[in-house]
Amino acid sequence: MRHWVVIGTVVAIFALAGAGSVVGQAANPIKIGFGMALTGGLSANGKPALLAMQIWKDNVNKKGGLLGRPVELIFYDDQTNPATVPGIYSKLLDVDKADLVVSGYGTNLIAPLMPMAMERKLTVIGIFGLANNEKYKYPNYFQISPTGPDPATSTATGFFELAAKQTPRPQTVALVGADAEYPQTAMVGARELVKRLGFKTVYDKTYPPSTVDYTPIVRAIKATNPDIVFIASYPPDSVGMLRASHEVGLQPKIMGGGMVGLQFTTVMTSMGPMLNGIVNYDYWVPEPTMMFPGIQDFFKEYQPRAAKEGVDTLGYYLPPYAYAAMQVLGQAVEATKGLDQQKIADYIRATEFSTIVGKIKFGKNGEWAKGRTLMVQYQKVQGNDVEQFRGPGKKPVLYPDELTSGKIVYPYAAALK
C-alpha cells in the first residue's frame, strides 16, 4: 500500500483529577479510522473536514476522552479515488485495529465502503454522501448531511419549489450535470420535481467528469432558451459552468440548484460577483436563523487553525457537519458504555442528538428523519474580499420557511445588476 500516506495520529495524555493531583494514565486509545480526500478533486473539502474532526478529538481528549480512554484518529489519503477505499478500510480494520470507522467525504468515496460495512457489520456514519444507502438499506449506516428521508430530491426540492412560486412562473427547464455518482442521483431527483410541478424539460444531458471547456455545453443550453437551469456538479465543473455562463451570457430566470463547491471559501472569493443571483443548496450559512448552540464556539476554534493550515478559511460548508458526525459517534459510545458496533447503531437509530448543527434524529434509511437542505441565493457580492462572507446578508436563506432569512431576487438578471 505504498500510496497510503499516514498524515498523523495523535494520542492524548489525559488527566484524572483526584485530591488535587494529576495522574498520567496509559489507557489504550480508542481508535477511530477513516479515509479522507486530502489530494484530488475533493481535497478542498476533505482537508477542512479532517481539521474539524481533529478539533473534536482535541476537545474530547481535553475532557478525559471517551470511556476514560483517549481518542486517536487514524486516517489515510484516499486521493479522491474510490478505488483506494477498500484497501484503506481493510488496513484500518485488520492492521491498525481501528475500533470504529467513519466514512471519507463524498458520495463517490462512501459507495465502495458500503459492501465492506455490511459484510463486517460495521456501524458507519457517512460524511456527505447522497443516497448511498438507497440500494443497500443497511440499518447500521447513518448519514450526517441534512438531506432527509428522500436524499435524491434533496437539492432539487427547495430549488424547484422556489421556482414554482415566482411571478411570472417559469415554464421550461434545462437539466445538466456531470456523469458521476452524485450529479446523476441529483438529476434523478430533479426530473421527479420537474414532473411533479409541471415544468417542461427542454434540455437534459450529462457531460464527462473530465470536461475542461464548458462553453459548448452552456451554448447548447442557451440555444434552448430555458427559464430554469438546474446544475448538478462537482467543484471543478461548478466553477467551469459558472464562468462559461457569464462568458456566453446565459441568463435564465433562475439558475443553480445542486452545484457543489460554490460554498467553499476559495471558490466564493475567486468567483466574487459572478456568484450573484445563483440559487443553490447549502447546509450552513452565517444567518441569524442558523445559530445553533455551540456553532460559534466551533468556528472560534476552527477558523484560526484553518488559516494556519491553509484550508477553507471560513469552513461553513462541511466542517460543522464533520464535527457533528463525531459528536454523534462520541455520544453513542458514552451512552452504550462500550464499542459494540450493534449497540452503538441501535442507540444512534433511537436517539435525538444535540450537535453544533442543531438537533439530529436519523430515520429508517439512515438519513435525517426530517430534511433540512437549504436554498440560498448569492446577493450583493462585491469584489473578492473574504470578509464580506463572514456575516449575514450575502447568502440569505430562502428555503425552508422555518429558517428563511431573506427574499429571492427574481429573475436572475435582476440580481446581476
Side-chain angles (χ1 to χ4, degrees):
M1 309 311 291
R2 58 181 178 174
H3 294 299
W4 286 341
V5 179
V6 179
I7 303 302
T9 63
V10 178
V11 179
I13 299 174
F14 66 102
L16 297 177
S21 66
V22 178
V23 181
Q25 179 72 15
N28 291 328
I30 292 175
K31 298 179 182 178
I32 302 176
F34 52 93
M36 187 57 72
L38 302 176
T39 56
L42 296 183
S43 60
N45 238 3
K47 291 177 180 177
L50 172 62
L51 176 57
M53 296 159 83
Q54 290 173 319
I55 291 172
W56 171 82
K57 179 263 301 176
D58 292 344
N59 289 341
V60 166
N61 284 339
K62 287 176 185 174
K63 297 176 181 177
L66 297 176
L67 307 175
R69 296 165 59 184
V71 172
E72 178 182 2
L73 303 183
I74 304 175
F75 48 91
Y76 299 94
D77 181 9
D78 63 31
Q79 306 165 46
T80 318
N81 181 356
T84 66
V85 172
I88 285 175
Y89 282 85
S90 293
K91 185 174 188 299
L92 285 168
L93 294 165
D94 298 333
V95 179
D96 300 319
K97 305 298 182 184
D99 299 294
L100 301 165
V101 298
V102 294
S103 84
Y105 160 58
T107 306
N108 287 3
L109 283 306
I110 295 174
L113 174 58
M114 293 300 292
M116 178 182 291
M118 296 173 66
E119 180 183 350
R120 300 199 183 204
K121 297 180 172 38
L122 302 174
T123 294
V124 175
I125 298 181
I127 298 177
F128 279 34
L130 185 64
N132 283 106
N133 201 27
E134 293 307 287
K135 177 173 65 176
Y136 300 110
K137 302 189 185 309
Y138 178 50
N140 294 359
Y141 172 82
F142 307 92
Q143 201 282 127
I144 198 64
S145 68
T147 47
D150 187 6
T153 62
S154 63
T155 55
T157 299
F159 181 80
F160 283 103
E161 288 189 2
L162 275 172
K165 293 178 180 177
Q166 303 310 309
T167 303
R169 190 181 194 273
Q171 302 295 320
T172 56
V173 179
L175 304 175
V176 61
D179 188 11
E181 187 117 5
Y182 153 70
Q184 287 179 344
T185 302
M187 289 179 71
V188 168
R191 292 183 191 106
E192 183 179 328
L193 266 296
V194 167
K195 183 178 180 181
R196 185 189 307 171
L197 295 172
F199 296 119
K200 178 184 178 182
T201 301
V202 295
Y203 183 98
D204 185 348
K205 292 185 179 179
T206 60
Y207 52 80
S210 58
T211 299
V212 176
D213 183 5
Y214 295 88
T215 305
I217 299 169
V218 174
R219 289 190 189 282
I221 293 172
K222 186 179 181 182
T224 65
N225 193 30
D227 295 328
I228 302 170
V229 175
F230 179 86
I231 304 170
S233 50
Y234 277 128
D237 31 320
S238 295
V239 171
M241 287 292 294
L242 189 54
R243 290 190 184 282
S245 296
H246 279 265
E247 180 181 333
V248 172
L250 177 64
Q251 292 189 3
K253 291 184 172 63
I254 183 171
M255 179 162 69
M259 303 176 75
V260 179
L262 301 190
Q263 307 86 354
F264 304 171
T265 305
T266 52
V267 174
M268 288 194 291
T269 53
S270 66
M271 301 303 287
M274 278 195 281
L275 293 165
N276 283 326
I278 294 294
V279 174
N280 201 42
Y281 86 97
D282 216 319
Y283 294 133
W284 194 87
V285 288
E287 294 291 312
T289 54
M290 299 298 295
M291 294 301 168
F292 307 107
I295 190 76
Q296 290 173 304
D297 289 338
F298 167 74
F299 285 119
K300 285 178 182 176
E301 289 191 66
Y302 171 87
Q303 291 180 348
R305 288 177 63 167
K308 287 182 181 178
E309 297 186 20
V311 302
D312 193 302
T313 308
L314 298 177
Y316 291 154
Y317 180 60
L318 179 53
Y321 286 88
Y323 189 95
M326 304 306 284
Q327 284 184 297
V328 168
L329 187 60
Q331 291 175 32
V333 168
E334 289 285 13
T336 59
K337 304 183 186 307
L339 299 171
D340 185 284
Q341 299 276 338
Q342 190 58 51
K343 289 182 179 177
I344 290 172
D346 291 342
Y347 183 82
I348 293 175
R349 198 177 305 110
T351 306
E352 181 178 76
F353 293 87
S354 296
T355 76
I356 63 169
V357 297
K359 299 285 187 182
I360 298 176
K361 179 76 173 68
F362 295 99
K364 291 181 179 178
N365 58 355
E367 303 289 345
W368 282 35
K370 181 183 179 182
R372 201 188 67 189
T373 299
L374 310 176
M375 278 295 142
V376 304
Q377 185 180 40
Y378 293 85
Q379 297 179 357
K380 300 177 182 178
V381 177
Q382 298 178 338
N384 304 95
D385 183 11
V386 67
E387 296 303 318
Q388 66 184 315
F389 296 107
R390 289 191 188 276
K394 297 303 179 186
K395 292 201 289 181
V397 178
L398 309 178
Y399 179 95
D401 290 343
E402 63 268 27
L403 296 173
T404 297
S405 63
K407 296 182 179 179
I408 188 172
V409 178
Y410 179 86
Y412 171 70
L416 296 176
K417 296 178 181 176

